[in-house]
Amino acid sequence: MAKKATRKKATGRKAAARKPVTNAGKAKLSKTKTAKGKAPRKPAPAAPGASPSWTNAEITEAFRRFRAANPEPKGELQHVNPFTLLVAVVLSAQATDAGVNKATPALFAAADTPAKMVALGEDRVRDFIKTIGLFRNKAKNVVALSQKLMAEHGGEVPRSREALEMLPGVGRKTANVVLNIAFGEPTIAVDTHIFRIGNRTGIAPGKTPFEVEQKLEQVVPAEFKRHAHHWLILHGRYVCLARKPLCEKCLIADLCKWPGKTIVQK
Ligand code: SF4
């Protein structure tokens, strides 16, 4: 019995020790309360068209703020040339950039050209990238696309969407990233973050990534197109998070049309 009581007390102490953490968490959350002191609303579903659309002036203002905060945004995938960028983007499908960046320095030290990648071979490529999801299929694609680059493009990465999309493992999004980062084209690659932001904020609603891309093509002013992709991805990755968007830190909170945003209009 005495033992039980001691255990109970210990459990109580543990609970007490946990309490401040919970309170701190609550205090943190309370920062996102509305001016009326109401608890933050649950994120509303961001169905296409659920948020009102933006005026051209509002979209220009949003991108003007993104540019002022980060004039030269960069992608986060490590690479040393267009070929390694292409490989890194192929490896990043359904994986995080951070996860890809852990594996690629050693891979690119061993093979930074299509010829070296082919010489390395599928088995060794697989060993280098085995920490990345779907690594077996990706290793196969990396070697196959390297072979195709050598056979059809003189070992160079082509600057054409059609040619890029003909490479194994390369879809529209990957082609857009490569065209944008390697060649400076004003393409907008719609990933999960941009898809969410387009629909949630109302800037570019669409049922598919392609629809969101087309909408962004229409509404983003030309002067911002080159970097729009990076600004939106970084915004989605670090501020407009999927589960708990950090609306209190958001540069465009007063412009955002999402009914679920957790701060009042400025
Ligand atoms: S206010 Fe900003 S962070 Fe919040 S939902 Fe809108 S865009 Fe996202």
Side-chain angles (χ1 to χ4, degrees):
M1 284 297 284
K3 268 185 181 174
K4 264 189 184 173
T6 312
R7 256 204 314 271
K8 267 194 175 175
K9 269 190 178 174
T11 311
R13 275 201 301 275
K14 271 185 192 170
R18 278 198 302 268
K19 216 170 183 181
V21 177
T22 310
N23 285 342
K26 281 182 183 168
K28 204 173 169 188
L29 278 177
S30 72
K31 285 181 190 166
T32 63
K33 284 182 177 179
T34 63
K36 289 179 181 169
K38 287 179 185 167
R41 281 165 287 182
K42 259 189 164 182
S51 299
S53 52
W54 295 42
T55 64
N56 290 341
E58 286 172 332
I59 291 173
T60 300
E61 174 60 15
F63 282 99
R64 194 197 59 71
R65 291 182 199 175
F66 286 139
R67 181 173 63 190
N70 187 2
E72 287 293 325
K74 299 271 185 284
E76 295 185 331
L77 281 173
Q78 290 177 21
H79 60 279
V80 295
N81 56 30
F83 171 68
T84 50
L85 171 68
L86 172 62
V87 172
V89 183
V90 167
L91 296 179
S92 73
Q94 295 178 56
T96 63
D97 287 3
V100 173
N101 288 341
K102 277 185 192 153
T104 49
L107 173 65
F108 297 155
D112 60 358
T113 65
K116 289 181 191 169
M117 198 64 80
V118 171
L120 197 60
E122 189 179 323
D123 289 353
R124 291 205 55 208
V125 171
R126 195 168 51 227
D127 285 344
F128 278 111
I129 65 167
K130 63 188 172 194
T131 52
I132 303 173
L134 309 174
F135 64 96
R136 288 186 182 82
N137 207 31
K138 288 176 180 175
K140 193 181 289 182
N141 283 336
V142 165
V143 173
L145 74 82
S146 301
Q147 285 167 336
K148 202 166 168 93
L149 289 177
M150 288 173 65
E152 298 176 16
H153 301 285
E156 300 291 325
V157 175
R159 190 177 178 162
S160 127
R161 173 190 304 289
E162 293 71 27
L164 284 166
E165 288 188 22
M166 293 297 286
L167 297 170
V170 177
R172 186 176 182 89
K173 193 189 86 177
T174 298
N176 277 336
V177 175
V178 171
L179 290 170
N180 182 284
I181 298 179
F183 300 117
E185 302 276 355
T187 50
I188 300 176
V190 176
D191 71 344
T192 180
H193 297 299
I194 299 187
F195 185 71
R196 179 177 69 254
I197 292 173
N199 281 300
R200 179 185 272 173
T201 62
I203 286 183
K207 292 191 184 74
T208 63
F210 184 56
E211 277 185 26
V212 171
E213 182 190 326
Q214 286 185 312
K215 186 73 183 164
L216 285 168
E217 283 290 337
Q218 287 166 21
V219 301
V220 176
E223 64 176 306
F224 301 115
K225 275 212 178 119
R226 165 91 168 84
H227 291 314
H229 153 245
H230 285 129
W231 284 318
L232 292 174
I233 285 182
L234 295 172
H235 188 60
R237 193 173 283 168
Y238 298 110
V239 181
C240 194
L241 310 177
R243 283 174 179 267
K244 281 190 186 168
L246 306 176
C247 303
E248 72 279 9
K249 293 184 179 169
C250 177
L251 280 178
I252 58 166
D254 55 320
L255 300 169
C256 174
K257 313 293 182 196
W258 189 41
K261 67 181 178 181
T262 52
I263 59 164
V264 291
Q265 297 282 349
K266 283 179 189 168

